[in-house]
Amino acid sequence: METSTNMRITTQRQVILEELAKVTSHPTANEVYDMVRRRLPRIGLGTVYRNLDLMAESGMILKIEVGGTQKRFDATTTPHYHIRCLECGRVNDIDMDFQSEINDAAADASHYQIFSHHIEFTGVCPMCAKQERHALAN
Amino acid sequence: METSTNMRITTQRQVILEELAKVTSHPTANEVYDMVRRRLPRIGLGTVYRNLDLMAESGMILKIEVGGTQKRFDATTTPHYHIRCLECGRVNDIDMDFQSEINDAAADASHYQIFSHHIEFTGVCPMCAKQERHALAN
DNA sequence: TTATGTGCAAAACATTTGCAGGAGT
DNA sequence: ACTCCTGCAAATGTTTTGCACATAA
């Protein structure tokens, strides 16, 4: 639960973090594995899962639980929202104000103790929209 | 994509829908299976999955893709938000205004064609909060 | 009668875990 | 040394799928 301060900085962790920081996409564990494996061919998928989870728990990265079948990870840890393409599954950050005040509305509307919220937009990304236009033209 | 009008009303579908409508929780496919099995002991889990998906596609029910490992289903199809307990995984509806205007903000902030959005709050439900207070007292 | 749906079991995925050996401090 | 970490492989949990039979229209 607590941020473990005694987490060793191993080569594997270093590389996972570096590779995640390189991209603005929101790779799945398996995609991170592929990226990291180019530099550390013998790394195990289990290690990638374990370390992504540990880093997320300690707040170094974000574990994004959006729709779709896989969890995604993000090196940007400041609060922000996401948009997911219904066609291709791509997930992007969305650059709009963080609605910190809606937590209060939720607190009023429930008996939960509110920690945070996340907004996920769904739609069609520019690339898929383009393809659809092409398909319709034929 | 389109609402398939040629979906037969079978006993299984009827019962799945009825059982789902009975509860305000947001059961997983497996929980629906357990509920339905009390009335139709020979129903298969595959049938439950297949029909929940079909009903969600045709708009009869909602498939909720929130955090956690399983998808959840909801017989309430009017747009609303959810809150999930970080301790026990319970998901509840939250009775606050639907922020239809934030889709516009998202459209401005991205090149996506926006369809919809969903807000998921996270926190601790009253039951878990109570248990925590008990635990601390000991 | 015939297209669609069901039960069952196996397969396909995503993720977690046990363990023996390896590496950081 | 001693603890923590890794690779590997097996286990787990969720969802999907193939297929022969059943059933609604």
Side-chain angles (χ1 to χ4, degrees):
Chain A
M1 217 65 186
E2 285 85 59
T3 302
S4 65
T5 44
N6 46 342
M7 193 166 99
R8 289 182 183 166
I9 300 154
T10 62
T11 310
Q12 287 86 341
R13 286 173 187 166
Q14 187 85 44
V15 173
I16 288 171
L17 193 55
E18 283 172 13
E19 291 300 313
L20 189 59
K22 269 187 196 166
V23 295
T24 59
S25 64
H26 301 71
T28 62
N30 207 60
E31 287 166 350
V32 172
Y33 175 55
D34 283 342
M35 285 154 49
V36 166
R37 212 160 26 146
R38 291 201 284 267
R39 290 171 59 187
L40 303 174
R42 300 192 54 83
I43 197 170
L45 180 56
T47 302
V48 173
Y49 269 101
R50 258 187 304 244
N51 286 334
L52 285 171
D53 275 346
L54 280 173
M55 290 180 197
E57 269 173 46
S58 76
M60 301 167 67
I61 65 171
L62 234 51
K63 185 174 189 172
I64 311 173
E65 311 215 346
V66 292
T69 50
Q70 288 145 287
K71 305 268 153 80
R72 293 173 173 272
F73 298 88
D74 190 342
T76 305
T77 54
T78 50
H80 63 280
Y81 303 132
H82 295 99
I83 181 162
R84 179 168 55 97
C85 178
L86 292 171
E87 302 291 325
C88 67
R90 179 193 314 277
V91 174
N92 282 111
D93 289 338
I94 193 153
D95 182 26
M96 59 179 277
D97 291 339
F98 191 76
Q99 322 272 108
S100 38
E101 68 282 1
I102 72 171
N103 281 0
D104 302 335
D108 289 346
S110 82
H111 298 287
Y112 277 62
Q113 180 184 339
I114 312 276
F115 287 172
S116 64
H117 73 267
H118 179 251
I119 307 184
E120 180 188 357
F121 293 92
T122 41
V124 177
C125 75
M127 282 148 117
C128 287
K130 194 174 180 180
Q131 277 175 21
E132 273 172 30
R133 260 179 274 118
H134 280 177
L136 283 173
N138 296 342
Chain B
M1 215 66 184
E2 286 85 58
T3 302
S4 67
T5 44
N6 46 342
M7 194 166 100
R8 289 182 183 167
I9 299 155
T10 63
T11 311
Q12 288 86 341
R13 284 173 188 166
Q14 188 85 42
V15 173
I16 288 171
L17 193 55
E18 283 172 13
E19 292 300 313
L20 189 60
K22 271 188 195 164
V23 296
T24 58
S25 64
H26 300 72
T28 62
N30 208 59
E31 287 166 348
V32 173
Y33 175 56
D34 284 342
M35 285 154 47
V36 167
R37 213 162 23 149
R38 291 199 286 267
R39 291 172 58 188
L40 303 175
R42 301 192 53 85
I43 197 171
L45 181 55
T47 302
V48 173
Y49 269 100
R50 258 186 304 242
N51 286 334
L52 286 171
D53 274 347
L54 280 174
M55 292 181 197
E57 269 172 46
S58 76
M60 301 167 67
I61 64 171
L62 235 51
K63 185 174 189 173
I64 311 174
E65 311 215 345
V66 293
T69 49
Q70 289 144 286
K71 304 269 153 80
R72 293 173 173 274
F73 297 87
D74 191 342
T76 306
T77 55
T78 50
H80 62 281
Y81 304 131
H82 295 100
I83 181 162
R84 178 168 55 97
C85 177
L86 292 171
E87 303 290 326
C88 67
R90 180 191 316 277
V91 174
N92 282 111
D93 288 339
I94 194 151
D95 181 26
M96 58 180 278
D97 290 339
F98 192 76
Q99 323 272 110
S100 39
E101 68 282 1
I102 72 172
N103 281 1
D104 301 336
D108 290 346
S110 81
H111 295 123
Y112 277 61
Q113 179 185 339
I114 312 278
F115 286 172
S116 65
H117 73 268
H118 179 250
I119 308 184
E120 181 189 355
F121 294 92
T122 42
V124 177
C125 76
M127 282 148 117
C128 288
K130 194 173 180 181
Q131 278 174 19
E132 272 172 30
R133 261 180 273 118
H134 280 177
L136 284 172
N138 295 341

